[in-house]
Amino acid sequence: MIILKTTKELNKPLATFPAGIKDYIFNVYYYRLQLVGVIEDPKFLQLHELDKYLTPTDYIDWRFSVHWPAPILDVYGKPLKNEKLLQLLYQVSDKTGWPLLTIKSFRKYF
């Protein structure tokens, strides 16, 4: 397991891969004891470069308040299902020891 010691380390991606979609990249971030992958456009500032304004955790919290939580977010912040990117996320999970974001079902009983 990788131990992240400083806030600056928390805001950096744990891994970066080509996303296979246009020229986008796939960054894997530490989010509340779990891993979340975010597709980002390298032509613009990436989440870890926006630390003056918000952290990756703040961004992911905001996106999860708009859409449902998912282990992969596309370049627009929407949940994405992609087997190739999911495998990359599992590779990072195996290397770091951190689990992927898990989604618990919330059922309301009356």
Side-chain angles (χ1 to χ4, degrees), residues 12-107:
K12 296 275 184 192
L14 296 174
T16 299
F17 303 98
I21 305 165
K22 296 186 181 180
D23 293 333
Y24 298 152
I25 57 173
F26 181 63
N27 285 330
V28 179
Y29 291 99
Y30 171 84
Y31 172 76
R32 302 188 190 283
L33 302 177
Q34 299 174 335
L35 300 177
V36 174
V38 180
I39 298 174
E40 299 186 61
D41 190 341
K43 295 175 188 168
F44 300 99
L45 290 176
Q46 296 174 33
L47 288 178
H48 64 91
E49 298 170 327
L50 295 171
D51 59 354
K52 184 193 259 185
Y53 307 104
L54 79 157
T55 66
T57 299
D58 294 335
Y59 173 79
I60 295 168
D61 280 340
W62 171 61
R63 294 315 300 169
F64 287 173
S65 73
V66 176
H67 298 285
W68 61 91
I72 300 173
L73 298 176
D74 71 8
V75 73
Y76 304 108
K78 296 179 182 177
L80 177 71
K81 291 183 180 178
N82 183 308
E83 190 65 32
K84 179 185 169 200
L85 297 178
L86 192 60
Q87 290 305 318
L88 293 173
L89 207 53
Y90 276 116
Q91 285 178 14
V92 176
S93 176
D94 291 342
K95 185 176 179 181
T96 62
W98 295 104
L100 271 58
L101 176 77
T102 54
I103 304 163
K104 297 178 182 173
S105 100
F106 296 99
R107 293 186 179 194

Side-chain angles (χ1 to χ4, degrees), residues 1-12 14 30 33 98:
M1 178 178 291
I2 292 178
I3 305 297
L4 303 171
K5 299 175 185 165
T6 66
T7 306
K8 197 164 201 159
E9 288 178 335
L10 289 173
N11 294 336
K12 296 275 184 192
L14 296 174
Y30 171 84
L33 302 177
W98 295 104

